[in-house]
Structure formats: C-alpha cells, structure tokens
Amino acid sequence: VVRIDPGKDTKVQQLLDEIMRIKEWADKLVVANEDDAKLATSDLSIMRKLKKTVEEKRQEYVGPLNAHVDAVNGAFKLLTGPLAQADKTATDKVTAYKVNQERRRREAEEINQQAIDLARKQAELNQGVFTVDIKPVVVTETPRLTRTEVGTSGLVDNWLYEVIDFNLLPDAYKMPDAAILTAIAKKYHDQKLVPGVKFFNKPGLRVYNR
C-alpha cells in the first residue's frame, strides 16, 4: 500500500508540533552546571528516540515506493546491462581502429620527414647529390569523422595524467592522505609524530539511550 500526503497524517502533525516545541526549548537552553547538563541529557535522549520515530514514519511512506523503484530498476537492468556492454564493445573497437590509423599517419609523417632531412644533409655534403629515397610513405587517409545517415563518430581528446615521480611533484600539487592521518589521530592520538602535522582532540557529545 502506497501512502501519500504525509502532511495530512495526524501522527506526522503531532510529531511536527512536538519537534517545534523541542526546537524552541533548544534555542533557549542554557547549560551552566551539572543539573542543567543532566536535564539536557534527558531531553537529548528523548530527541534520539524521536529521530527514530520520525524515520520509522518516513519509511512507512517511502518503503513501498522504494521497493517499487527497486523492482522497476531491476527489470530494466535486464535491458540496460547488455546494451551497455554492447555499446562499450563497439565503442572500444571503433576507437582502437581510429587510434591505430592516427598512429600510422603520424609514423608515416615522421618517416617522410626523416628521409627529407637525411637527403638534405647528403646534398649539403655531396654537392647537391643525395641517394636517399624521398618517395613518401603513403598511408590511406581516413576521415577524422565517420559519417552515416544515422550518426557520426570521431575521436575527441581526453587528456589524463600519471604521476611517475612523486618526489619531483611540486608541493602545490601534493595532497595529504586524509584517511591515513585520521586513522593515526584516532589510534595514536598525539603520541605519533608526523612532520608538518598537528594532532588535536575536538570532543563531541555522545548520548546513550537506556
């Protein structure tokens, strides 16, 4: 059963009234002594339980919807999964072909240029005579874009990076490993020294419900 319009739910309205009263109390709260802390702790415990009640009520509304969405997504994965695989397979093959053609074109240009440079050097040394074959290596020219009646494909630049020597990396591009430093802070507190790092304690309040 899918429930709608929680704003008209009597229980939700009661929860809203109670929460607004609690918010008003929290805004006016002053904790100056242990008695104040005890009173606030009791109310904090009530608030933790109230959060659970609110979440349970929310699940009454979204649970069936989420279950329906999960069922729909599961059914459509039977379509999208194989389609995504087919798309990737075809994309990889066309990309590999175009990358290979581009590589062959660049290599041919380099070979032709090397032959011309060598012939020029021979001519300079032999009164204009050279023996190098400067007939260009021909590679079948392939269009940058492959056009059909239903679509077009072509390579696009996608520049990435790989750090090959971290020691040579400028400091501006280095980032601390937050996960490791947090683990050290929790395990060793301020006993383990890491150059350039200060460990400190910032206590938080945990409320235990009985």
Side-chain angles (χ1 to χ4, degrees):
V1 177
V2 176
R3 306 184 64 179
I4 61 174
D5 201 353
K8 295 181 179 180
D9 189 320
T10 303
K11 179 61 177 178
V12 173
Q13 294 173 354
Q14 292 173 349
L15 287 171
L16 177 60
D17 292 340
E18 185 175 358
I19 289 170
M20 294 310 296
R21 288 196 300 270
I22 289 175
K23 182 181 181 303
E24 184 178 356
W25 164 84
D27 291 339
K28 297 178 180 179
L29 175 65
V30 175
V31 181
N33 52 52
E34 188 60 23
D35 288 338
D36 292 341
K38 287 181 179 180
L39 179 61
T41 298
S42 296
D43 288 331
L44 282 168
S45 298
I46 294 173
M47 279 187 264
R48 296 303 193 276
K49 293 178 181 178
L50 188 58
K51 287 181 180 179
K52 183 178 179 180
T53 301
V54 171
E55 176 59 19
E56 290 173 349
K57 175 57 68 172
R58 187 182 74 86
Q59 286 297 331
E60 289 181 11
Y61 282 86
V62 302
L65 295 174
N66 288 337
H68 176 65
V69 170
D70 290 342
V72 171
N73 287 337
F76 275 89
K77 280 183 179 179
L78 298 175
L79 305 176
T80 59
L83 180 59
Q85 292 175 357
D87 186 289
K88 183 179 185 306
T89 299
T91 296
D92 289 347
K93 290 180 178 180
V94 174
T95 300
Y97 162 75
K98 287 184 172 292
V99 168
N100 184 59
Q101 289 299 107
E102 179 64 17
R103 176 186 59 78
R104 294 180 62 189
R105 183 191 63 78
R106 289 197 306 268
E107 289 177 351
E109 289 181 351
E110 291 176 2
I111 292 173
N112 293 336
Q113 187 60 49
Q114 290 172 1
I116 292 173
D117 293 342
L118 182 56
R120 183 180 296 111
K121 290 180 179 179
Q122 281 187 337
E124 290 174 356
L125 295 175
N126 299 312
Q127 291 78 42
V129 178
F130 61 88
T131 60
V132 176
D133 183 5
I134 59 173
K135 182 179 179 180
V137 176
V138 179
V139 176
T140 303
E141 188 71 22
T142 56
R144 186 172 181 81
L145 297 178
T146 300
R147 303 180 188 275
T148 72
E149 293 181 357
V150 295
T152 302
S153 69
L155 296 180
V156 293
D157 292 335
N158 181 31
W159 291 96
L160 304 174
Y161 74 91
E162 178 184 5
V163 177
I164 56 176
D165 191 334
F166 187 79
N167 293 325
L168 297 179
L169 194 66
D171 290 343
Y173 298 97
K174 296 177 181 177
M175 296 183 63
D177 192 318
I180 291 180
L181 291 175
T182 299
I184 291 175
K186 291 181 177 180
K187 183 174 181 180
Y188 298 102
H189 308 309
D190 58 352
Q191 300 172 12
K192 185 178 179 69
L193 297 179
V194 178
V197 178
K198 173 187 176 183
F199 295 100
F200 62 95
N201 184 28
K202 187 178 180 181
L205 185 67
R206 178 173 295 177
V207 179
Y208 303 90
N209 287 336
R210 295 182 180 179

